[in-house]
Amino acid sequence: MLVLPSLMVMCIAFHIYQVRVHGMAEHKVSITAGKKPVKPAGDRIYRFYPEQLYQSSIAFVIVFAVILLLAVYGHVPLENPVGTIDESYLPRPEWYYMWLFQMLTFFSGSSEVVGSLAIPIGGILILFLMPWLSKTSLQGLADRPLATAVGTAGVIGIIYLTIMGFAGAMPYGEVLPVPDRHLTASEQQGMQLFVKRECAYCHNINGKGGRIEGPDLANTVAKDRSHEWLMQMIKDPQQISRWSIMPKYDLKDDQLKGLADFILALDFKSLPMKIITKEQALAGTP
């Protein structure tokens, strides 16, 4: 509450000082157009007061008025009070931090510091040092292809990560595709474990109900997967594939068998499919 606003005020003051010392960043004429930048004759003095302060005040008043109108007339849906138990709730940051939150999904364990600190701080330092790193008098996009490419790639990357972050925050596991037949006791046990263990966080079933981080579990029987293979894959995925990112599940043998039976029952090439809710699945009444 105290440090961040103080740093922001210091950065704004430093920025204004640099503008006063070096002048405004005008868009010079590109030499690629066959012309050279020419300094116009008779430049008038552009003072901080009243010229710059006057224009900045207009911009601040407009922004403040928009924020005030949104606060008075805008409808912002509120979430449940703090402490409300909601097992389906997924905590997510505000939209302007969503790209950073999504980037952390690519870094885990000891490498998390790279995604949370190294990359964001590195990007900020590059922007901060840009006036000293690029001293050319030409500022056209065509005259600075490397800087243009890096900036464009950064903007596209942030937009992509933001979209992926919102996509990952969408509800999942609300419905469950199951074969339209009577399930055995073992298959029902596996179905309930599938819901309780939030398997839909990574797995779709026939493109429905879950997310797409893991393989779709429909028609697994067509891949010649045995009960033993599935049980071992759930218990210790890295023993089957060292590149697997699936976590280990410490389950009993009957639970592992139930999950394997349920996955192999998802044979929608030979069986009709129906959609049930997770409440129906937990109740064991599909």
Side-chain angles (χ1 to χ4, degrees):
M1 292 176 61
L2 298 178
V3 174
L4 292 181
S6 301
L7 289 175
M8 183 175 67
V9 171
M10 292 172 60
C11 289
I12 293 175
F14 181 72
H15 172 73
I16 294 176
Y17 170 76
Q18 292 294 320
V19 169
R20 301 309 306 165
V21 172
H22 301 286
M24 298 296 291
E26 299 177 357
H27 191 78
K28 303 294 192 301
V29 178
S30 172
I31 60 174
T32 57
K35 300 179 182 180
K36 293 183 179 180
V38 178
K39 184 177 181 180
D43 282 350
R44 68 181 182 87
I45 299 177
Y46 186 79
R47 296 168 296 182
F48 176 74
Y49 178 85
E51 286 88 354
Q52 184 175 346
L53 183 61
Y54 173 73
Q55 295 184 5
S56 299
S57 299
I58 293 177
F60 290 151
V61 169
I62 294 175
V63 172
F64 181 77
V66 172
I67 295 176
L68 184 61
L69 290 174
L70 290 175
V72 175
Y73 299 104
H75 172 67
V76 179
L78 300 178
E79 296 181 345
N80 292 327
V82 176
T84 302
I85 298 177
D86 185 1
E87 296 181 355
S88 63
Y89 178 75
L90 285 177
R92 288 293 188 272
E94 297 295 339
W95 64 269
Y96 41 82
Y97 284 132
M98 186 65 78
W99 67 274
L100 181 59
F101 180 84
Q102 181 65 20
M103 187 168 60
L104 292 179
T105 61
F106 299 101
F107 301 92
S108 60
S110 59
S111 63
E112 191 176 66
V113 66
V114 177
S116 60
L117 293 177
I119 294 179
I121 292 177
I124 293 174
L125 286 178
I126 291 176
L127 292 177
F128 183 79
L129 298 175
M130 189 60 68
W132 292 273
L133 296 176
S134 179
K135 298 182 179 180
T136 177
S137 60
L138 299 173
Q139 298 171 9
L141 297 180
D143 300 309
R144 306 172 66 188
L146 180 59
T148 301
V150 172
T152 303
V155 172
I156 293 176
I158 290 176
I159 294 175
Y160 171 77
L161 290 173
T162 301
I163 294 174
M164 293 300 295
F166 277 107
M170 296 178 65
Y172 67 93
E174 298 297 322
V175 296
L176 183 66
V178 296
D180 190 8
R181 65 166 175 79
H182 177 74
L183 300 181
T184 66
S186 180
E187 291 170 346
Q188 287 196 13
Q189 182 187 28
M191 177 182 64
Q192 293 173 339
L193 278 173
F194 184 90
V195 175
K196 291 178 181 179
R197 293 288 178 147
E198 298 283 348
C199 298
Y201 186 81
C202 295
H203 295 282
N204 268 332
I205 297 179
N206 206 33
K208 296 179 175 62
R211 301 171 65 190
I212 56 175
E213 294 186 7
D216 195 309
L217 298 180
N219 305 315
T220 302
V221 66
K223 302 176 182 178
D224 296 327
R225 303 302 190 191
S226 64
H227 285 81
E228 292 73 18
W229 189 93
L230 288 172
M231 291 171 64
Q232 187 59 45
M233 185 66 185
I234 298 170
K235 184 177 182 179
D236 189 359
Q238 285 70 37
Q239 186 174 350
I240 300 296
S241 173
R242 59 180 299 185
W243 306 109
S244 176
I245 61 173
M246 179 177 172
K248 299 179 181 180
Y249 287 92
D250 187 16
L251 301 174
K252 299 179 180 178
D253 290 342
D254 62 323
Q255 294 176 321
L256 291 171
K257 183 179 182 302
L259 273 173
D261 288 340
F262 174 67
I263 294 173
L264 292 176
L266 303 173
D267 183 15
F268 301 124
K269 289 185 177 180
S270 58
L271 295 172
M273 180 183 71
K274 67 177 180 179
I275 306 296
I276 64 174
T277 65
K278 67 177 182 180
E279 288 77 15
Q280 290 176 309
L282 290 174
T285 55

